[in-house]
Amino acid sequence: MKPSVPEITYAPATEVVRLGRDPFRFDGFVNPPVVRGSTVLSPSYDALVNHSGRYSYGRRGNPTTEALETAISALEGADGTLLTPSGLSAISVALLGVLKAGDHLLMVDTAYNPTRRICDGVLRRGGIEVSYYDPLIGAGIESLLRPNTRAIFLESPGSQSMEVQDVPAIVAVAKAHGLVTLIDNTWATPLYLKPLALGVDVSIMAGTKYLSGHADLNIGTIAARGAVFKQILSAHGDLGICVSPDDAALGSRGLRTMAVRLERHWRSGLEVARWLAARPEVARVLHPALEGDAGHALWKRDFTGACGLFSAILKPVPEPAFAAFFDALALFGMGYSWGGFESLIIPFDCSSYRTATTWAPGGPAMRLHIGLEEPADLQADLARGFAAMAAAA
Ligand SMILES: *Cc1c(COP(=O)(O)O)cnc(C)c1O
């Protein structure tokens, strides 16, 4: 018999390799099998009526989904993890699990924009009040609490504009008032930020991004502790949310290489960010891991790494010249996602939908995802873009 793995904590690179695998449960095969199935048979009347089996019904989980849930729970330090068919559904299910009619939610103004649509649509229609707060508010969030405030939602760094939040300061206020805190941790992943260790109750990840790592999967994870986990588990079950075993297996496969991929995204991203910051066309680079970034001190205090996603503000140029920049790029794809092996770029403008803060950066803004290509090739691609921009201006 092989000795079982002792219950000690390994380095993250080791954890992502070993977590959620139990080869000798599956005749020695390294990865858990993709188990397809809706019906689960019980061996006896007694087992059936007392629900004593490990699994009850396909929608409620199987060995393939359980393997990924177990791994994420260990990485997040959570009592349990739920899988959802997308990052956005992870956010909606978590919010629906925690909130009820009459409650008030404080949502960070720099949330992923579809998160705002959940708040302004489904939640408000269901009688839940939502107000938005400045991501840099820190302990000042106490002044925004109402008698019916139930939860605070964070996302750090903020979508597009990359503000780093003071998570411990906000958690301290929440704990003093018995509020639930949730965070969208997609940027850092549990490898580079451990929200639950900082006292956050619910850590959400769009696994679509770095867990997948290959732009071939939509999946979300909700990791939580204690009573809050039970509430979200109940909403998840009642809403009929489930993930296919094929997608769960792709998520587990992505996990195995997540630490090495993220390290490369981090290093290459910083290299391209520094190169961009030195370009005459660039007014400002927004990247928390860059010395001098407004969020650098908080990033350094709370995070242990950075991914390949950051933003940049250009000096003012006419829109046709900005468009010429994008159209001249050969290596950067234009697409609304990130976290895969390939580099991506999009223009963005948050001015129409932010309500608690003002977005007026003084020039056109773009968000870059630095993939696994060689940074020098990416820089040459961007230089071609700047040449086309100058020619068009
Ligand atoms: C992409 C993204 C999501 C949503 O993930 P999907 O799988 O596309 O639904 C949520 N939060 C952040 C920060 C994201 O970037």
Side-chain angles (χ1 to χ4, degrees):
M1 286 296 282
K2 268 197 46 87
S4 61
V5 178
E7 276 310 310
I8 59 172
T9 309
Y10 293 97
T14 309
E15 292 287 41
V16 296
V17 168
R18 78 175 193 100
L19 288 172
R21 292 196 299 111
D22 190 0
F24 294 100
R25 194 177 148 204
F26 304 109
D27 299 309
F29 282 90
V30 166
N31 294 294
V34 175
V35 175
R36 296 179 172 284
S38 50
T39 310
V40 180
L41 299 180
S42 291
S44 66
Y45 176 89
D46 182 68
L48 181 74
V49 299
N50 291 308
H51 306 285
S52 61
R54 184 163 181 161
Y55 308 101
S56 60
Y57 182 53
R59 181 174 12 90
R60 310 292 310 224
N62 68 41
T64 318
T65 54
E66 185 188 42
L68 180 55
E69 288 167 356
T70 308
I72 300 296
S73 289
L75 278 182
E76 300 263 17
D79 287 331
T81 294
L82 297 161
L83 304 182
T84 62
S86 67
L88 189 59
S89 55
I91 294 164
S92 60
V93 168
L95 287 170
L96 289 171
V98 165
L99 298 165
K100 62 179 187 317
D103 284 347
H104 170 234
L105 167 71
L106 276 165
M107 172 57 65
V108 66
D109 201 35
T110 44
Y112 177 63
N113 199 37
T115 301
R116 297 181 71 106
R117 289 205 287 274
I118 299 169
C119 292
D120 299 338
V122 172
L123 295 189
R124 283 193 169 137
R125 278 203 304 279
I128 294 158
E129 290 169 32
V130 183
S131 55
Y132 293 91
Y133 69 90
D134 183 333
L136 303 179
I137 198 167
I141 200 159
E142 191 153 31
S143 69
L144 301 181
L145 300 185
R146 301 177 188 173
N148 58 338
T149 303
R150 165 78 181 131
I152 304 176
F153 194 103
L154 305 89
E155 182 178 327
S156 183
S159 268
Q160 325 277 45
S161 46
M162 308 299 294
E163 297 87 347
V164 181
Q165 295 197 255
D166 191 339
V167 176
I170 291 173
V171 164
V173 171
K175 285 202 183 301
H177 294 271
L179 311 180
V180 176
T181 45
L182 311 91
I183 191 167
D184 184 331
N185 195 34
T186 302
W187 187 86
T189 83
L191 290 182
Y192 290 160
L193 183 76
K194 302 270 188 206
L196 272 57
L198 295 176
V200 176
D201 297 300
V202 185
S203 176
I204 295 165
M205 174 169 63
T208 305
K209 311 294 164 52
Y210 288 116
L211 178 68
S212 155
H214 293 74
D216 55 4
L217 171 64
N218 280 98
I219 196 167
T221 66
I222 310 168
R225 253 196 313 241
V228 177
F229 174 71
K230 294 227 169 71
Q231 282 178 328
I232 300 173
L233 170 69
S234 152
H236 183 271
D238 293 348
L239 289 166
I241 305 293
C242 59
V243 163
S244 82
D246 305 80
D247 286 349
L250 278 178
S252 289
R253 179 154 107 156
L255 181 66
R256 307 301 166 214
T257 55
M258 196 161 90
V260 281
R261 285 187 285 106
L262 271 174
E263 224 176 281
R264 180 61 69 94
H265 286 294
W266 175 13
R267 179 159 24 106
S268 298
L270 265 183
E271 207 172 315
V272 176
R274 290 207 171 94
W275 179 88
L276 271 175
R279 288 289 305 197
E281 300 87 350
V282 175
R284 211 150 36 102
V285 173
L286 309 174
H287 190 319
L290 271 189
E291 306 77 8
D293 185 86
H296 187 63
L298 287 178
W299 173 80
K300 217 169 161 176
R301 186 191 69 185
D302 296 340
F303 293 69
T304 53
C307 67
L309 190 80
F310 64 92
S311 297
I313 314 294
L314 299 188
K315 291 174 186 162
V317 285
E319 195 176 5
F322 191 50
F325 168 82
F326 281 84
D327 287 334
L329 300 174
L331 287 178
F332 282 87
M334 288 181 274
Y336 290 101
S337 190
W338 49 284
F341 51 79
E342 82 289 16
S343 288
L344 294 169
I345 191 164
I346 51 163
F348 72 88
D349 178 1
C350 325
S351 60
S352 68
Y353 53 85
R354 297 260 166 101
T355 51
T357 57
T358 307
W359 176 251
M366 57 195 198
R367 188 189 71 184
L368 299 92
H369 176 254
I370 303 306
L372 301 176
E373 305 92 337
E374 190 63 34
D377 290 332
L378 296 174
Q379 288 159 7
D381 202 36
L382 294 169
R384 265 192 302 276
F386 284 132
M389 186 169 93

